[in-house]
Amino acid sequence: MVACGTSWHAGLIAEYIFEELCRIPVEVEYASEFRYRNPVIYKGDVIIAISQSGETADTIVAIEKAKEQGAFIFGVVNVVGSSIARISNAGAYTHAGPEIGVASTKAFTAQLVVLTLIALKLGKEKNTINEDRYVHLINELHNIPEKVKEVLLLNNEIKKLAEKHKNSKDALYLGRGYNFPVALEGALKLKEISYIHAEGYAAAEMKHGPIALVDENLPVVFVATKDSYHEKIISNIQEIKARKGKVIAVISQGDETIPKMSEDVMIVPEADELVAPMLSVIPLQLFAYHIGVVKGCDVDKPRNLAKSVTVE
Ligand code: M6R
C-alpha cells in the first residue's frame, strides 16, 4: 500500500485488517519514500494506492514506478476522474463526497470502510475468514453510521475539553493494534489545525524514549477502546499515571476501569476491534477542531498546507 498523510494512516490500519482476514502479507509505505527506494516488486504484485484527492504527486510517481516493474495498481480514491483514478489498473472510489477542509476527516472513514470491504471480499474468496465472522463484520459495518451519530453527540463535552487543554504546548497520543494508527492520526489532526505539537506513538514503544517527555503538564491521549489489547493498554496508562501525566482516554461504553485512571474520558459505543477506528478517530478530530477554533486558527485552511499536495 502506498499513500501519504492521513491516507497512509488508513493504510496502516488496513495492513492489520488484510493480514488478519486474508493472511496476505502487506507493506505500507510512504509514497515519498517508496518512489526513491529500490523496492522488491514482482510481476503481479498488487499495489493499493490510497488517496483522497487522487492528485498527490508522490503517490502518482510511486504508482508509475511500481507499474514499470509489473505491479497491478488498485486505486482507493475519493475524487472521481482524478489522476490516480485514471492511472490505476482498477480501483474503488470511496465516494465520501467533496472534502473541502484541508484536514482529512470523512475521507479517512470512507477509506477504512472501502479497505475493510476489500479485505472481507478477499478473505471470503481465499477462505481465510469463516462465515460467522464475515457476517458479524458486515453487520458491524452496517451499524457504524448509527454509532457515528452517537459519537457526534460528544461534541459539547469535547468542546469543554478543548477549552481546558487549549494552552498545552505538546501532547502525546498513544494506541495499540488497530488503534495505534488512530493515535498517529489524532496527533496529525491536532498539529495541522491547532498548531500544537503532538506526537503519535505505539503505546508500548513509549518506554523506549517518549516516556521521558511525561510530566504533570503533558496531556497524554490514549486511544483505548475495548479490544484484544485492552489489558496491555491499561498497563501503559498506569505507567503514564505513575509519572503524573494528564491522561485523556477514548474508551468504550461500559469500561469501568479506565475512567478511574483518567482525568478525562471520551466514551464511544462498543464495536469489533476491526471497525473500532472508524469511531475512535472522531473524538480526536473534534478535539483538534475545537482547540483550533478556540485558539482562533483557520481550521479549514491551516497555514502552510494545501488540500492536494501536487508538488514533490
Ligand atoms: O489526497 P491524499 O489523500 O493523497 O492526501 C494525502 C495527504 O496530503 C493528506 O492526507 C494530508 O496529510 C491531510 N492534510 C491530513 O489531514
Side-chain angles (χ1 to χ4, degrees), residues 3-9 50-57 59 76 78-79 84 99 101-105 107 111 185 188-189 192-193 302 305-309:
C4 302
T6 290
S7 299
W8 183 74
H9 295 155
I50 310 164
S51 176
Q52 187 288 129
S53 62
E55 301 298 345
T56 301
T59 309
V76 173
N78 196 40
V79 177
I84 294 176
E99 194 182 56
V102 164
S104 188
T105 49
Q111 287 165 344
E185 177 60 8
L188 176 63
K189 290 288 94 98
E192 72 179 329
I193 58 178
L305 291 170
K307 184 64 187 157
S308 307
V309 184

Side-chain angles (χ1 to χ4, degrees), residues 2-11 13-14 17-18 48-54 76-79 92-96 99 104-118 185 278:
V2 292
C4 302
T6 290
S7 299
W8 183 74
H9 295 155
I13 296 171
I17 298 175
F18 271 66
I48 300 184
I50 310 164
S51 176
Q52 187 288 129
S53 62
V76 173
V77 175
N78 196 40
V79 177
Y93 284 119
T94 44
H95 287 309
E99 194 182 56
S104 188
T105 49
K106 65 177 181 177
F108 177 70
T109 309
Q111 287 165 344
L112 293 180
V113 174
V114 168
L115 290 161
T116 305
L117 287 172
I118 297 169
E185 177 60 8
M278 296 170 201

